[in-house]
Amino acid sequence: MALDCTPFERQLIEGCRKGNPKHQEMFYKHFYGFAMAIALRYHPTRQEAGSVVNDSFLKIFDHIGRYSFEQTFRGWLRRIVINTALDHYRRLVRHTQPLDLDHPESQTVEVEDSIVSQLTAEDILSLLQHLPDHYRMVFNLYEIEGYSHEEIARQLNLSVSSSRVYLTRAKEKLARLVKFYFPKHNERFFP
């Protein structure tokens, strides 16, 4: 039995496994916010994130019979949303030019940990939306989801070294964004 599910959520899962449309609707409404929060980390526009969420729920309803109650349900659902977000990203990236890795954007910017610790989750999500797609994808997969650079390279069809460079550049850009968007925090820590 999934340890991270409430009795109500287990009931929704069982109803979805039986193909009950009412349970599917309630399931969608119940887990929508969870799925949207994940999708927004990967796709900055609500429209694109909404497409990811809707496609994710279609996949969930098609494959919920395969879900094993021995694993956490939210982990299983998160994995589907992430994979769907990556599918959308791969479709979009076919139509864009890759970032030039030979020319560094600028010098490294240092940000105190105490500044970062005062940022809210909403602040951080907002900052992530300002990253170029490649940077945001690698940053999310490595720092938030815990993927290795080898796994990221396979998922995004990159070299391992590109994954590392994108992560470094993402962190540098985030540091610059913190200094730019949160100057009051900086004044406290950088007189």
Side-chain angles (χ1 to χ4, degrees):
M1 181 95 25
L3 302 175
D4 66 332
C5 290
T6 66
F8 174 71
E9 291 169 343
R10 283 193 289 274
Q11 184 180 17
L12 290 178
I13 293 167
E14 289 301 335
C16 290
R17 290 179 109 166
K18 294 175 184 171
N20 183 312
K22 186 67 176 167
H23 281 95
Q24 289 174 337
E25 179 184 353
M26 290 187 313
F27 180 96
Y28 180 88
K29 289 177 181 176
H30 184 76
F31 287 107
Y32 177 85
F34 178 77
M36 181 58 89
I38 296 165
L40 281 169
R41 287 198 320 252
Y42 292 89
H43 295 281
T45 67
R46 284 197 83 72
Q47 181 179 358
E48 184 65 26
S51 293
V52 167
V53 168
N54 289 333
D55 289 352
S56 296
F57 278 106
L58 290 174
K59 289 177 183 179
I60 289 164
F61 295 144
D62 283 345
H63 298 100
I64 201 159
R66 295 183 192 167
Y67 168 68
S68 163
F69 281 98
E70 293 155 7
Q71 57 185 325
T72 65
F73 184 73
R74 280 179 178 72
W76 182 81
L77 193 147
R78 179 178 15 276
R79 176 72 69 202
I80 290 174
V81 176
I82 291 168
N83 287 339
T84 304
L86 293 174
D87 290 344
H88 278 243
Y89 169 74
R90 284 188 287 267
R91 279 198 303 268
L92 292 172
V93 84
R94 279 189 233 149
H95 306 291
T96 61
Q97 295 289 356
L99 295 173
D100 184 2
L101 298 179
D102 294 331
H103 303 295
E105 287 188 18
S106 72
Q107 54 193 342
T108 303
V109 177
E110 296 291 325
V111 176
E112 294 285 328
D113 289 340
S114 53
I115 293 173
V116 175
S117 68
Q118 291 189 13
L119 299 177
T120 66
E122 189 174 311
D123 292 337
I124 294 169
L125 180 60
S126 176
L127 292 173
L128 287 175
Q129 305 307 340
H130 289 81
L131 292 177
D133 292 343
H134 287 71
Y135 294 1
R136 186 177 54 257
M137 292 294 163
V138 172
F139 182 86
N140 281 320
L141 291 170
Y142 187 86
E143 292 293 340
I144 297 173
E145 306 301 341
Y147 282 58
S148 70
H149 285 294
E150 291 76 16
E151 292 169 317
I152 295 168
R154 277 194 305 275
Q155 286 286 339
L156 300 181
N157 199 23
L158 302 169
S159 68
V160 173
S161 63
S162 292
S163 176
R164 287 189 177 103
V165 169
Y166 288 157
L167 179 63
T168 300
R169 299 262 174 87
K171 288 178 178 182
E172 289 170 354
K173 184 156 179 89
L174 284 171
R176 286 191 301 280
L177 289 168
V178 166
K179 290 185 92 140
F180 180 79
Y181 285 107
F182 299 97
K184 292 185 191 242
H185 290 295
N186 293 328
E187 289 170 10
R188 270 187 264 166
F189 300 105
F190 301 111

